[in-house]
Amino acid sequence: MLMHRPLDTSRADLHVDAVAPLDESPLRMGSRTLPTRYFLAPLAGYTHLAFRRVIRKLGGLGLATTDLVQATLLLSGHPKSRELIETSPDDNPLSVQIFSGIPRDLIGAARWLEDQGYQGIDINMGCPMAKVNGSGGGARLMCDTGGACGIVESAVQAVSVPVTVKMRLGWDRENITAPALAREFEQLGVAAITIHGRTRQQGFRGEADLLGIRDVVEAVDKLPIIGNGDVRTAEDALAMRRLTGCPAVAIGRGALLDPWIFSRLHDHAQGRPMQDPSPDHQIQFLIDHFTFMSEQHAERSCQLFRKFAAWYGQKLGIPDDLEDRLRRFESLDEFLEIIDQIRARHGERQATVPTALLKVPNGPVEKW
């Protein structure tokens, strides 16, 4: 089982003042002003509308980004793609992340999204998966810096809403292109860049390279660089900002492991002790998430909700056998019965680690 290790702050080449105050003022990103500096990163299969809504309800979230959307399918009206961008009045601020190896379709999708009223476009240049890279999208774009700059320039010129980019450090250790691309993208008018501190070759293995993120921060003038990777706790987020100098952090799996991570960070920013939720609040969170999911997906909600149980069980104090039932339940009545039992037996859990972390493909990255 993959165990979390806190971000390493002991390296001689990483200098940090652990007590220096961080800038926690609202962050300007192009024409948008974001209320906090802690963002929900896109996670395939998880960061859909219901999850975004329930996380926002807890407070402290500055920006959320949709699951990765294929631009060509979005333009064609593909139901799955349209479902990924579904939103609601309380799902704001929001950016839509798109990808494509076909520049015409990427630009077309950006224009379509602006016409539909979306307020931010995020271009994915970081996905390591073969099915994305094989079509010329995702991290593959970082291998052609001229082409990447051309796509970004066209997108920025095509829409009036802020355009941001998410990318990795590079394709592999011999091709670290993120600093050079960041410098170019700043000149082309992007509003911000999110940097995942791994190469495409690493996939999700190893540890996020904080020095690599810092190199990107130092490569730009004023452009906001958003750090990403291996942030599982509020303390990790604060350490990343101090160690890299990034003004904001995007959190993915950490929000699944601890849905209150953003509210904890908001407490810290306001000078308050970081609070743990009460058992009642933990149980209400489960109910709220399932309710939001039911509003969007109706009879599919049970199936879609089940995969969250392995993430939530440890943090929410769900007894092991009841977590197992949450991974298999098939109806609203069964869900409510399980909730009643969790309420009566809260805290009886034996396992001290989450049942599952985000699954990543097995085998060499070349096989992805």
Side-chain angles (χ1 to χ4, degrees):
M1 178 176 291
L2 179 61
M3 300 293 291
H4 171 54
R5 287 175 288 181
L7 292 174
D8 183 5
T9 62
S10 64
R11 294 172 57 181
D13 47 3
L14 288 174
H15 305 287
V16 57
D17 184 346
V19 297
L22 293 168
D23 184 358
E24 298 290 4
S25 62
L27 180 67
R28 188 74 174 174
M29 187 182 291
S31 60
R32 309 174 93 178
T33 299
L34 305 175
T36 81
R37 293 168 179 255
Y38 304 100
F39 306 161
L40 179 62
L43 282 175
Y46 288 93
T47 48
H48 298 172
L49 176 58
F51 184 68
R52 300 195 305 266
R53 290 182 68 193
V54 75
I55 292 295
R56 291 184 191 279
K57 188 173 180 180
L58 300 179
L61 180 59
L63 173 71
T65 303
T66 67
D67 197 343
L68 179 61
V69 184
Q70 215 276 4
T72 305
L73 294 179
L74 181 64
L75 287 173
S76 71
H78 190 273
K80 175 65 174 177
S81 297
R82 296 295 173 90
E83 182 180 282
L84 291 176
I85 65 167
E86 286 185 13
T87 186
S88 62
D90 59 350
D91 183 31
N92 187 59
L94 177 70
S95 287
V96 178
Q97 186 176 86
I98 56 177
F99 81 95
S100 178
I102 306 173
R104 178 186 66 254
D105 288 352
L106 194 75
I107 305 311
R111 287 186 176 129
W112 184 87
L113 287 164
E114 181 181 32
D115 290 343
Q116 300 304 308
Y118 291 90
Q119 298 298 306
I121 309 297
D122 189 55
I123 299 174
N124 182 285
M125 291 190 184
C127 181
M129 304 301 288
K131 64 181 180 181
V132 175
N133 294 174
S135 64
R140 176 63 67 181
L141 288 171
M142 298 187 71
C143 297
D144 176 9
T145 55
C149 289
I151 288 173
V152 167
E153 182 176 21
S154 296
V156 170
Q157 293 178 352
V159 297
S160 60
V161 298
V163 174
T164 58
V165 175
K166 184 177 182 187
M167 59 184 178
R168 289 185 170 231
L169 296 176
W171 185 258
D172 54 32
R173 275 295 165 191
E174 287 67 48
N175 295 278
I176 300 297
T177 53
L181 283 172
R183 283 193 296 270
E184 293 297 321
F185 291 168
E186 181 172 28
Q187 299 304 311
L188 295 174
V190 301
I193 295 174
T194 299
I195 294 292
H196 182 99
R198 290 180 174 86
T199 65
R200 189 271 175 182
Q201 186 181 53
Q202 284 181 270
F204 295 98
R205 296 172 298 184
E207 298 179 2
D209 182 353
L210 299 182
L211 282 176
I213 295 175
R214 191 172 73 182
D215 287 344
V216 180
V217 172
E218 294 175 349
V220 300
D221 184 13
K222 297 180 180 179
L223 184 70
I225 301 298
I226 303 157
N228 174 241
D230 291 350
V231 176
R232 308 288 177 79
T233 67
E235 291 76 13
D236 286 344
L238 298 171
M240 177 175 279
R241 288 192 60 195
R242 291 192 173 103
L243 291 164
T244 68
C246 63
V249 173
I251 303 168
R253 284 175 284 182
L256 290 169
L257 292 167
D258 179 9
W260 285 266
I261 192 169
F262 299 104
S263 63
R264 294 179 200 277
L265 286 163
H266 186 61
D267 284 339
H268 183 272
Q270 298 299 310
R272 301 188 297 262
M274 290 188 273
Q275 299 292 320
D276 287 323
S278 68
D280 285 342
H281 286 145
Q282 293 173 345
I283 293 167
Q284 188 61 48
F285 172 83
L286 285 172
I287 296 171
D288 289 341
H289 189 182
F290 185 74
T291 299
F292 290 151
M293 192 167 281
S294 297
E295 291 174 3
Q296 183 182 12
H297 300 291
E299 67 277 358
R300 292 176 54 213
S301 299
C302 298
Q303 176 186 356
L304 294 173
F305 188 84
R306 291 194 295 240
K307 63 185 175 184
F308 287 90
W311 293 87
Y312 290 164
Q314 191 272 334
K315 193 65 183 180
L316 273 61
I318 301 173
D320 304 72
D321 60 308
L322 296 180
E323 181 197 299
D324 181 67
R325 288 191 61 189
L326 272 181
R327 295 201 302 269
R328 297 181 292 108
F329 78 101
E330 296 182 351
S331 69
L332 171 61
D333 287 344
E334 187 178 3
F335 174 78
L336 294 175
E337 177 192 348
I338 295 169
I339 291 295
D340 285 341
Q341 293 189 40
I342 292 173
R343 185 176 285 111
R345 298 175 49 202
H346 186 275
E348 291 181 10
R349 184 181 180 87
Q350 298 297 311
T352 58
V353 296
T355 300
L357 293 176
L358 188 65
K359 290 183 175 65
V360 297
N362 294 321
V365 70
E366 291 78 12
K367 302 295 185 182
W368 291 12

